[in-house]
Amino acid sequence: MRPRQSANLDGLVNQQVLRWERLERGRKTERRLSLQQPTITISRSYGAGGRALGEALLRILQIPLYDREIVEEIAQNANVRSHLADSVDERAQSAITRWIGELFDDKRFKESDYLSHLVRVLLTLAHRDQSIVIGRGAHAVLRPERTLRVKVIARRELRVARIAARLGLGND
């Protein structure tokens, strides 16, 4: 009867060791996730003034602001020209154009490539230092408990006026 008790004891010890290992893996994951610095993400309606808000926060808080720099970093990381990264950046292509392009051209810089690099760049920025990130879906990628998510909206008339002024269009 002695060997059987020893086998049961060994089984219990092994189970407990496995529990401790799982617990430690969870702790390591939590420590790694807690490294993200507080980040402010600004999503906005086109012409609502999200960039102006980001620049105001930059002046007040003195923390880095990232907007177009993210696309440039993606292009550099993916070893592609900036205009290729631009082509899959926010609102640049219709879904059908992207789908057809990806279907027939496997050498093309695909939306999936862009998204993979985008997530990597956003997570790197979040771990590096406090920052302000404009657009690019950062509010959906970064951990909510370490991210202040701001959505900038404005009345349609105001957005149209701002866009027209930016493009140099008259009020004809």
Side-chain angles (χ1 to χ4, degrees):
M1 193 119 115
R2 192 95 168 128
R4 185 177 184 145
Q5 286 177 337
S6 176
N8 286 340
L9 184 59
D10 285 344
L12 289 172
V13 168
N14 285 335
Q15 284 178 346
Q16 188 58 44
V17 167
L18 289 173
R19 281 190 200 120
W20 285 335
E21 287 174 349
R22 281 193 302 265
L23 183 62
E24 185 57 27
R25 276 194 306 267
R27 286 182 183 145
K28 285 180 182 177
T29 299
E30 184 57 37
R31 281 192 298 266
R32 192 180 74 245
L33 290 175
S34 69
L35 293 175
Q36 179 185 326
Q37 297 295 317
T39 303
I40 300 170
T41 62
I42 300 174
S43 55
R44 74 276 187 221
S45 299
Y46 187 57
R51 175 76 190 184
L53 174 62
E55 289 170 351
L57 288 171
L58 167 68
R59 285 190 301 277
I60 294 167
L61 301 174
Q62 298 294 302
I63 59 176
L65 170 70
Y66 300 100
D67 187 2
R68 289 276 318 136
E69 299 83 2
I70 294 172
V71 177
E72 293 161 9
E73 182 69 20
I74 290 169
Q76 186 176 13
N77 286 350
N79 201 24
V80 296
R81 292 186 297 274
S82 291
H83 79 275
L84 286 177
D86 269 335
S87 72
V88 290
D89 189 37
E90 296 178 290
R91 299 180 304 269
Q93 293 182 342
S94 73
I96 263 198
T97 304
R98 286 191 306 266
W99 180 74
I100 290 172
E102 289 183 15
L103 197 62
F104 293 107
D105 187 2
D106 64 339
K107 292 181 179 141
R108 186 175 159 215
F109 186 64
K110 301 176 188 85
E111 185 175 270
S112 58
D113 298 329
Y114 175 83
L115 292 174
S116 173
H117 285 281
L118 174 64
V119 168
R120 197 171 306 133
V121 168
L122 290 173
L123 291 175
T124 300
L125 290 174
H127 289 289
R128 192 181 314 159
D129 53 20
Q130 291 180 315
S131 59
I132 304 163
V133 178
I134 297 179
R136 314 243 151 24
H139 67 283
V141 173
L142 301 178
R143 295 181 60 223
E145 59 272 11
R146 304 292 295 168
T147 305
L148 173 63
R149 297 171 173 168
V150 178
K151 172 76 174 183
V152 181
I153 57 174
R155 288 185 337 272
R156 184 172 189 258
E157 300 79 29
L158 179 58
R159 291 186 296 122
V160 168
R162 284 181 178 158
I163 294 167
R166 187 179 310 140
L167 297 174
L169 303 174
N171 292 338
D172 301 336

mmCIF file of all heavy atoms in Angstrom, residues 142-166:
data_model
loop_
_atom_site.group_PDB
_atom_site.id
_atom_site.type_symbol
_atom_site.label_atom_id
_atom_site.label_comp_id
_atom_site.label_asym_id
_atom_site.label_seq_id
_atom_site.Cartn_x
_atom_site.Cartn_y
_atom_site.Cartn_z
ATOM 1 N N LEU A 142 -5.001 49.782 -27.808
ATOM 2 C CA LEU A 142 -4.318 49.947 -26.525
ATOM 3 C C LEU A 142 -5.225 49.573 -25.360
ATOM 4 O O LEU A 142 -6.439 49.690 -25.434
ATOM 5 C CB LEU A 142 -3.825 51.388 -26.390
ATOM 6 C CG LEU A 142 -2.858 51.832 -27.486
ATOM 7 C CD1 LEU A 142 -2.455 53.277 -27.290
ATOM 8 C CD2 LEU A 142 -1.629 50.928 -27.526
ATOM 9 N N ARG A 143 -4.609 49.127 -24.285
ATOM 10 C CA ARG A 143 -5.341 48.663 -23.097
ATOM 11 C C ARG A 143 -6.203 49.790 -22.532
ATOM 12 O O ARG A 143 -5.711 50.869 -22.236
ATOM 13 C CB ARG A 143 -4.350 48.197 -22.045
ATOM 14 C CG ARG A 143 -3.557 46.979 -22.486
ATOM 15 C CD ARG A 143 -2.586 46.497 -21.444
ATOM 16 N NE ARG A 143 -3.293 46.133 -20.240
ATOM 17 C CZ ARG A 143 -2.855 46.455 -19.032
ATOM 18 N NH1 ARG A 143 -1.741 47.129 -18.884
ATOM 19 N NH2 ARG A 143 -3.534 46.093 -17.964
ATOM 20 N N PRO A 144 -7.492 49.533 -22.356
ATOM 21 C CA PRO A 144 -8.399 50.584 -21.891
ATOM 22 C C PRO A 144 -8.046 51.150 -20.515
ATOM 23 O O PRO A 144 -8.236 52.334 -20.270
ATOM 24 C CB PRO A 144 -9.774 49.918 -21.869
ATOM 25 C CG PRO A 144 -9.565 48.485 -22.118
ATOM 26 C CD PRO A 144 -8.170 48.274 -22.608
ATOM 27 N N GLU A 145 -7.506 50.324 -19.628
ATOM 28 C CA GLU A 145 -7.188 50.816 -18.286
ATOM 29 C C GLU A 145 -5.957 51.711 -18.259
ATOM 30 O O GLU A 145 -5.697 52.368 -17.254
ATOM 31 C CB GLU A 145 -7.062 49.664 -17.278
ATOM 32 C CG GLU A 145 -6.013 48.641 -17.603
ATOM 33 C CD GLU A 145 -6.535 47.521 -18.502
ATOM 34 O OE1 GLU A 145 -7.635 47.603 -19.054
ATOM 35 O OE2 GLU A 145 -5.778 46.557 -18.663
ATOM 36 N N ARG A 146 -5.211 51.786 -19.364
ATOM 37 C CA ARG A 146 -4.037 52.656 -19.440
ATOM 38 C C ARG A 146 -4.183 53.701 -20.534
ATOM 39 O O ARG A 146 -3.211 54.313 -20.943
ATOM 40 C CB ARG A 146 -2.776 51.814 -19.711
ATOM 41 C CG ARG A 146 -2.499 50.710 -18.718
ATOM 42 C CD ARG A 146 -2.120 51.184 -17.376
ATOM 43 N NE ARG A 146 -0.849 51.875 -17.464
ATOM 44 C CZ ARG A 146 -0.351 52.599 -16.486
ATOM 45 N NH1 ARG A 146 -0.993 52.728 -15.370
ATOM 46 N NH2 ARG A 146 0.790 53.199 -16.633
ATOM 47 N N THR A 147 -5.421 53.877 -21.037
ATOM 48 C CA THR A 147 -5.642 54.768 -22.175
ATOM 49 C C THR A 147 -6.826 55.683 -21.903
ATOM 50 O O THR A 147 -7.902 55.215 -21.533
ATOM 51 C CB THR A 147 -5.926 53.934 -23.449
ATOM 52 O OG1 THR A 147 -4.853 53.011 -23.643
ATOM 53 C CG2 THR A 147 -6.064 54.817 -24.672
ATOM 54 N N LEU A 148 -6.606 56.980 -22.080
ATOM 55 C CA LEU A 148 -7.710 57.937 -22.058
ATOM 56 C C LEU A 148 -8.167 58.084 -23.502
ATOM 57 O O LEU A 148 -7.412 58.550 -24.356
ATOM 58 C CB LEU A 148 -7.264 59.291 -21.499
ATOM 59 C CG LEU A 148 -8.306 60.412 -21.590
ATOM 60 C CD1 LEU A 148 -9.546 60.071 -20.766
ATOM 61 C CD2 LEU A 148 -7.702 61.735 -21.157
ATOM 62 N N ARG A 149 -9.377 57.666 -23.763
ATOM 63 C CA ARG A 149 -9.912 57.694 -25.124
ATOM 64 C C ARG A 149 -10.784 58.934 -25.298
ATOM 65 O O ARG A 149 -11.762 59.112 -24.583
ATOM 66 C CB ARG A 149 -10.755 56.455 -25.381
ATOM 67 C CG ARG A 149 -9.955 55.190 -25.288
ATOM 68 C CD ARG A 149 -10.872 54.001 -25.336
ATOM 69 N NE ARG A 149 -10.098 52.769 -25.421
ATOM 70 C CZ ARG A 149 -10.622 51.589 -25.245
ATOM 71 N NH1 ARG A 149 -11.904 51.456 -25.009
ATOM 72 N NH2 ARG A 149 -9.862 50.520 -25.332
ATOM 73 N N VAL A 150 -10.407 59.762 -26.267
ATOM 74 C CA VAL A 150 -11.144 60.997 -26.527
ATOM 75 C C VAL A 150 -11.716 60.916 -27.938
ATOM 76 O O VAL A 150 -10.994 60.586 -28.883
ATOM 77 C CB VAL A 150 -10.208 62.224 -26.406
ATOM 78 C CG1 VAL A 150 -10.964 63.507 -26.731
ATOM 79 C CG2 VAL A 150 -9.577 62.289 -25.020
ATOM 80 N N LYS A 151 -12.983 61.225 -28.077
ATOM 81 C CA LYS A 151 -13.634 61.263 -29.401
ATOM 82 C C LYS A 151 -14.037 62.714 -29.641
ATOM 83 O O LYS A 151 -14.786 63.296 -28.874
ATOM 84 C CB LYS A 151 -14.867 60.356 -29.405
ATOM 85 C CG LYS A 151 -15.726 60.470 -30.643
ATOM 86 C CD LYS A 151 -15.100 59.772 -31.808
ATOM 87 C CE LYS A 151 -16.061 59.789 -32.992
ATOM 88 N NZ LYS A 151 -15.566 59.080 -34.126
ATOM 89 N N VAL A 152 -13.509 63.308 -30.714
ATOM 90 C CA VAL A 152 -13.801 64.696 -31.039
ATOM 91 C C VAL A 152 -14.850 64.712 -32.144
ATOM 92 O O VAL A 152 -14.659 64.114 -33.206
ATOM 93 C CB VAL A 152 -12.530 65.444 -31.505
ATOM 94 C CG1 VAL A 152 -12.849 66.886 -31.824
ATOM 95 C CG2 VAL A 152 -11.451 65.353 -30.434
ATOM 96 N N ILE A 153 -15.942 65.394 -31.859
ATOM 97 C CA ILE A 153 -17.008 65.541 -32.851
ATOM 98 C C ILE A 153 -17.361 67.018 -32.968
ATOM 99 O O ILE A 153 -17.001 67.817 -32.114
ATOM 100 C CB ILE A 153 -18.271 64.721 -32.471
ATOM 101 C CG1 ILE A 153 -18.777 65.137 -31.089
ATOM 102 C CG2 ILE A 153 -17.971 63.230 -32.502
ATOM 103 C CD1 ILE A 153 -20.076 64.486 -30.691
ATOM 104 N N ALA A 154 -18.025 67.374 -34.027
ATOM 105 C CA ALA A 154 -18.461 68.763 -34.227
ATOM 106 C C ALA A 154 -19.674 68.740 -35.153
ATOM 107 O O ALA A 154 -19.892 67.774 -35.891
ATOM 108 C CB ALA A 154 -17.331 69.599 -34.839
ATOM 109 N N ARG A 155 -20.420 69.815 -35.096
ATOM 110 C CA ARG A 155 -21.567 69.939 -36.003
ATOM 111 C C ARG A 155 -21.090 69.869 -37.445
ATOM 112 O O ARG A 155 -19.991 70.299 -37.781
ATOM 113 C CB ARG A 155 -22.285 71.271 -35.765
ATOM 114 C CG ARG A 155 -23.049 71.344 -34.478
ATOM 115 C CD ARG A 155 -23.861 72.646 -34.342
ATOM 116 N NE ARG A 155 -23.403 73.769 -35.117
ATOM 117 C CZ ARG A 155 -22.498 74.662 -34.715
ATOM 118 N NH1 ARG A 155 -21.960 74.565 -33.530
ATOM 119 N NH2 ARG A 155 -22.145 75.659 -35.492
ATOM 120 N N ARG A 156 -21.922 69.354 -38.301
ATOM 121 C CA ARG A 156 -21.578 69.181 -39.714
ATOM 122 C C ARG A 156 -21.166 70.504 -40.352
ATOM 123 O O ARG A 156 -20.179 70.572 -41.088
ATOM 124 C CB ARG A 156 -22.778 68.584 -40.455
ATOM 125 C CG ARG A 156 -22.482 68.272 -41.898
ATOM 126 C CD ARG A 156 -23.654 67.499 -42.504
ATOM 127 N NE ARG A 156 -23.313 67.003 -43.806
ATOM 128 C CZ ARG A 156 -23.717 67.572 -44.937
ATOM 129 N NH1 ARG A 156 -24.485 68.635 -44.909
ATOM 130 N NH2 ARG A 156 -23.360 67.065 -46.095
ATOM 131 N N GLU A 157 -21.899 71.578 -40.066
ATOM 132 C CA GLU A 157 -21.610 72.888 -40.665
ATOM 133 C C GLU A 157 -20.202 73.357 -40.292
ATOM 134 O O GLU A 157 -19.475 73.899 -41.128
ATOM 135 C CB GLU A 157 -22.636 73.943 -40.214
ATOM 136 C CG GLU A 157 -24.075 73.639 -40.583
ATOM 137 C CD GLU A 157 -24.741 72.606 -39.654
ATOM 138 O OE1 GLU A 157 -24.368 72.512 -38.464
ATOM 139 O OE2 GLU A 157 -25.632 71.881 -40.147
ATOM 140 N N LEU A 158 -19.830 73.147 -39.047
ATOM 141 C CA LEU A 158 -18.502 73.556 -38.595
ATOM 142 C C LEU A 158 -17.420 72.722 -39.282
ATOM 143 O O LEU A 158 -16.401 73.251 -39.732
ATOM 144 C CB LEU A 158 -18.395 73.420 -37.077
ATOM 145 C CG LEU A 158 -17.054 73.781 -36.441
ATOM 146 C CD1 LEU A 158 -16.663 75.219 -36.772
ATOM 147 C CD2 LEU A 158 -17.093 73.563 -34.950
ATOM 148 N N ARG A 159 -17.637 71.414 -39.384
ATOM 149 C CA ARG A 159 -16.656 70.551 -40.049
ATOM 150 C C ARG A 159 -16.499 70.935 -41.510
ATOM 151 O O ARG A 159 -15.385 71.021 -42.024
ATOM 152 C CB ARG A 159 -17.062 69.077 -39.921
ATOM 153 C CG ARG A 159 -16.930 68.581 -38.485
ATOM 154 C CD ARG A 159 -17.174 67.084 -38.314
ATOM 155 N NE ARG A 159 -18.536 66.718 -38.643
ATOM 156 C CZ ARG A 159 -18.876 65.826 -39.574
ATOM 157 N NH1 ARG A 159 -17.951 65.197 -40.265
ATOM 158 N NH2 ARG A 159 -20.136 65.548 -39.810
ATOM 159 N N VAL A 160 -17.611 71.194 -42.203
ATOM 160 C CA VAL A 160 -17.555 71.592 -43.617
ATOM 161 C C VAL A 160 -16.789 72.898 -43.763
ATOM 162 O O VAL A 160 -15.937 73.037 -44.651
ATOM 163 C CB VAL A 160 -18.979 71.704 -44.212
ATOM 164 C CG1 VAL A 160 -18.961 72.389 -45.561
ATOM 165 C CG2 VAL A 160 -19.628 70.322 -44.306
ATOM 166 N N ALA A 161 -17.049 73.857 -42.890
ATOM 167 C CA ALA A 161 -16.354 75.151 -42.951
ATOM 168 C C ALA A 161 -14.850 74.968 -42.729
ATOM 169 O O ALA A 161 -14.030 75.571 -43.435
ATOM 170 C CB ALA A 161 -16.934 76.113 -41.922
ATOM 171 N N ARG A 162 -14.467 74.143 -41.755
ATOM 172 C CA ARG A 162 -13.045 73.911 -41.490
ATOM 173 C C ARG A 162 -12.351 73.230 -42.675
ATOM 174 O O ARG A 162 -11.236 73.589 -43.060
ATOM 175 C CB ARG A 162 -12.874 73.034 -40.250
ATOM 176 C CG ARG A 162 -13.106 73.764 -38.967
ATOM 177 C CD ARG A 162 -12.889 72.836 -37.810
ATOM 178 N NE ARG A 162 -13.057 73.547 -36.550
ATOM 179 C CZ ARG A 162 -13.346 72.954 -35.405
ATOM 180 N NH1 ARG A 162 -13.493 71.634 -35.351
ATOM 181 N NH2 ARG A 162 -13.477 73.658 -34.314
ATOM 182 N N ILE A 163 -13.008 72.230 -43.247
ATOM 183 C CA ILE A 163 -12.427 71.512 -44.386
ATOM 184 C C ILE A 163 -12.295 72.442 -45.579
ATOM 185 O O ILE A 163 -11.271 72.472 -46.266
ATOM 186 C CB ILE A 163 -13.268 70.263 -44.729
ATOM 187 C CG1 ILE A 163 -13.178 69.261 -43.568
ATOM 188 C CG2 ILE A 163 -12.788 69.621 -46.036
ATOM 189 C CD1 ILE A 163 -14.215 68.146 -43.645
ATOM 190 N N ALA A 164 -13.337 73.250 -45.836
ATOM 191 C CA ALA A 164 -13.294 74.200 -46.945
ATOM 192 C C ALA A 164 -12.162 75.212 -46.760
ATOM 193 O O ALA A 164 -11.428 75.515 -47.703
ATOM 194 C CB ALA A 164 -14.636 74.934 -47.087
ATOM 195 N N ALA A 165 -12.005 75.707 -45.551
ATOM 196 C CA ALA A 165 -10.921 76.647 -45.272
ATOM 197 C C ALA A 165 -9.554 75.990 -45.473
ATOM 198 O O ALA A 165 -8.650 76.586 -46.052
ATOM 199 C CB ALA A 165 -11.044 77.177 -43.839
ATOM 200 N N ARG A 166 -9.416 74.741 -45.013
ATOM 201 C CA ARG A 166 -8.157 74.016 -45.165
ATOM 202 C C ARG A 166 -7.813 73.812 -46.633
ATOM 203 O O ARG A 166 -6.652 73.865 -47.032
ATOM 204 C CB ARG A 166 -8.247 72.672 -44.451
ATOM 205 C CG ARG A 166 -6.936 71.924 -44.415
ATOM 206 C CD ARG A 166 -7.014 70.589 -43.694
ATOM 207 N NE ARG A 166 -7.644 70.701 -42.399
ATOM 208 C CZ ARG A 166 -8.492 69.791 -41.917
ATOM 209 N NH1 ARG A 166 -8.793 68.724 -42.602
ATOM 210 N NH2 ARG A 166 -9.021 69.949 -40.721
#
